[in-house]
Amino acid sequence: MPAMTSKQRVQAAFAHQPVDRIPVMILLGESWLIDREKLSFKQMRELGDLGVDLIVSIYEEIHSDSVTSGLGCWTGVLEALGCPIKNTDVGAPIETKPCITDLEKYVAALDHTKIRACLEESEIIQKIMEQTRRLKKAVGESKYVCGQMQGPFSGASMMVDVKAFMILCAKKSPYIKPLLDYLADFYAELGNMYCENGADIVQTCDPCTSGDMISPRMFDQLVVPSLQRMKSQFKGHDRTMVHICGKAGMRIPMIRDLGFDGYSVDAPVELKDSLEQAGPTLTMMGNIHPIEVLRMGTPEDVYKAAMANARIAGLQGGYIMMPGCDLGGMTPTENIQAMYRASCDHAAQA
C-alpha cells in the first residue's frame, strides 16, 4: 500500500484500519531523553525553546511516529497540587513528598471552581503548554503530539503517600471518593488544556491501579468511576489512551468499555489474548519489556521481540508497537531503533 506519514499511520492503527507498517511510539521518553543528554527536568525547562529541538530531533532519530510533550508533567501537576518537588538532579531521579497529612481537612477545603486557576498559576504547567504549542508547530502536520499526565488514582496515591493511601482505600475511608472526584476534574481540565494547546492525544498513566497493587474489586469501585468522570469531561481530543503498569491484562474490558481509544500495557500482558479482548474499538499498545529486553538486551533481542509482536498483530491496525512502560535511563539508542527496524522488515515481508 502507499507509504503513510507518521500521523496517518497512527490514525489508521487507532481506527483499526490497514497500515503500511505497524506504528512505533514511545510512551513518554523524556526521562530517558534527559538522562541521555545529561540534563535535569529543571534545566530542560530553562532551555530557550523548552527542549523542543531536542525532542523533535531525538524522537526522529529513534523513528517514533509521535512526539511527547510534558516536561516532567508528573512533577508539575504534583507541585501545582501542593507537593514539595525536587527535580534539579541530572536524569530521571525526582524527589516527591506527600502534601496531604490530614485527608479529612484537605477534602473539606477542595474547591472545584478553582482548578483552572490552579493550573494557570503553575509555572511548570504553563511551560508544558508552551512546549506543546511549539511541538505542534514543529511537527504537528506529520506526527501526533501526545500530552502526558497521571491518572486520578495514582495522583491521589502520591499526594497522600502510596502505602498510606492503599491502607485508607482498604479501610474504605469516606474521604477517598471526594479526593478522586476532585482529581478526576483536575486531570480532565489538564487534558483539555493540552488539546487547546495542540496535543492530539492525551495519555493517562495510572501505574498505582496495576493488578500488582490493587484488587479487581477496588479497581471497579474506585478507579473506574474516576476514569469515567475524567474522560466524560474531555473536549477536543482526537484520541485518548491509558497506560497501566504490571499485571493489567484483566483491566482490558473496563478500559474498552470506558471508551478509551488506546491501552498501553506492560511486559506481563500477553499480546495475542489482549488483541482478542480489545475487540474492534480498543487499540493495544506496548508490552516489549522495558528492562530485560530494551535496557539490558541487544538490538537483536529487541528486534526478535518486536518482530514476534508484529507477526501476532499484523497490518490490519489495532496495535501500536511500544515499550511495555517508559524507557529506562541508559537504554541504548540502537535498541530503541530496533523496534522500527522490525516494523519495517515485517511490512516488507507481509
Side-chain angles (χ1 to χ4, degrees):
M1 63 184 300
M4 294 175 160
T5 66
S6 288
K7 194 166 190 175
Q8 290 170 337
R9 188 174 298 118
V10 173
Q11 286 173 327
F14 274 123
H16 289 242
Q17 295 174 352
V19 292
D20 61 341
R21 65 166 177 81
I22 293 173
V24 178
M25 290 173 58
I26 303 302
L27 178 63
L28 305 176
E30 286 187 331
S31 295
W32 167 79
L33 185 154
I34 64 170
D35 181 80
R36 186 182 111 149
E37 299 301 310
K38 305 305 177 191
L39 294 169
S40 68
F41 278 119
K42 183 175 184 296
Q43 287 171 327
M44 191 176 184
R45 287 198 304 272
E46 291 171 347
L47 295 174
D49 68 344
L50 301 175
V52 167
D53 283 350
L54 268 180
I55 294 170
V56 170
S57 63
I58 292 175
Y59 277 58
E60 188 66 30
E61 181 183 347
I62 60 177
H63 304 288
S64 174
D65 285 304
S66 64
V67 295
T68 303
S69 177
L71 277 173
C73 179
W74 290 61
T75 66
V77 171
L78 291 172
E79 185 175 73
L81 288 165
C83 293
I85 300 292
K86 180 176 180 285
N87 57 7
T88 55
D89 294 335
V90 169
I94 300 166
E95 294 181 21
T96 304
K97 295 181 180 179
C99 61
I100 300 176
T101 55
D102 185 332
L103 184 54
E104 179 181 2
K105 183 177 179 181
Y106 188 89
V107 166
L110 291 176
D111 187 345
H112 292 242
T113 67
K114 295 183 179 179
I115 288 174
R116 184 75 179 211
C118 178
L119 289 165
E120 290 177 345
E121 290 167 6
S122 165
E123 180 183 355
I124 296 178
I125 296 298
Q126 290 310 304
K127 285 191 174 183
I128 289 171
M129 294 306 133
E130 175 63 22
Q131 186 192 52
T132 304
R133 290 194 294 273
R134 291 178 182 230
L135 282 169
K136 183 69 172 183
K137 183 176 181 181
V139 297
E141 292 299 316
S142 59
K143 293 190 177 188
Y144 261 18
V145 176
C146 303
Q148 54 166 300
M149 64 186 196
Q150 299 115 306
F153 191 88
S154 295
S157 299
M158 295 178 187
M159 293 171 70
V160 174
D161 173 81
V162 175
K163 181 179 179 180
F165 185 75
M166 295 298 173
I167 292 172
L168 288 169
C169 289
K171 291 182 176 180
K172 299 183 178 180
S173 166
Y175 306 109
I176 295 295
K177 187 180 185 304
L179 177 61
L180 290 175
D181 286 348
Y182 176 77
L183 290 178
D185 294 353
F186 192 97
Y187 287 113
E189 193 65 27
L190 177 62
N192 291 338
M193 287 178 69
Y194 266 124
C195 292
E196 290 165 15
N197 286 280
D200 304 292
I201 303 176
V202 172
Q203 44 194 33
T204 302
C205 297
D206 220 352
C208 293
T209 66
S210 168
D212 295 291
M213 298 188 71
I214 64 173
S215 69
R217 178 178 293 181
M218 192 177 291
F219 188 87
D220 288 343
Q221 292 176 345
L222 297 176
V223 180
V224 169
S226 66
L227 290 176
Q228 187 173 40
R229 181 177 176 124
M230 177 187 74
K231 189 177 182 302
S232 71
Q233 298 177 66
F234 282 161
K235 301 174 184 177
H237 298 59
D238 190 68
R239 299 290 177 180
T240 57
M241 58 166 283
V242 175
H243 169 79
I244 299 177
C245 298
K247 295 177 182 178
M250 73 288 286
R251 313 296 194 216
I252 293 172
M254 286 78 86
I255 298 300
R256 180 196 63 213
D257 294 345
L258 283 169
F260 285 95
D261 300 290
Y263 185 30
S264 163
V265 292
D266 211 337
V269 181
E270 194 274 328
L271 182 60
K272 185 175 184 296
D273 181 61
S274 299
L275 290 169
E276 292 173 357
Q277 289 190 68
T281 57
L282 179 64
T283 292
M284 296 304 301
M285 313 168 79
N287 106 324
I288 297 176
H289 203 298
I291 303 301
E292 291 181 10
V293 177
L294 275 159
R295 168 67 181 86
M296 305 299 294
T298 66
E300 285 310 301
D301 291 331
V302 180
Y303 181 89
K304 289 177 183 178
M307 183 62 81
N309 276 7
R311 287 171 177 157
I312 290 170
L315 295 173
Q316 68 269 22
Y319 173 65
I320 293 174
M321 191 177 292
M322 291 174 65
C325 191
D326 202 9
L327 291 171
M330 298 185 290
T331 299
T333 301
E334 57 268 26
N335 283 12
I336 305 169
Q337 293 168 330
M339 291 191 295
Y340 167 75
R341 184 158 54 92
S343 171
C344 292
D345 289 352
H346 170 258
Q349 296 165 15

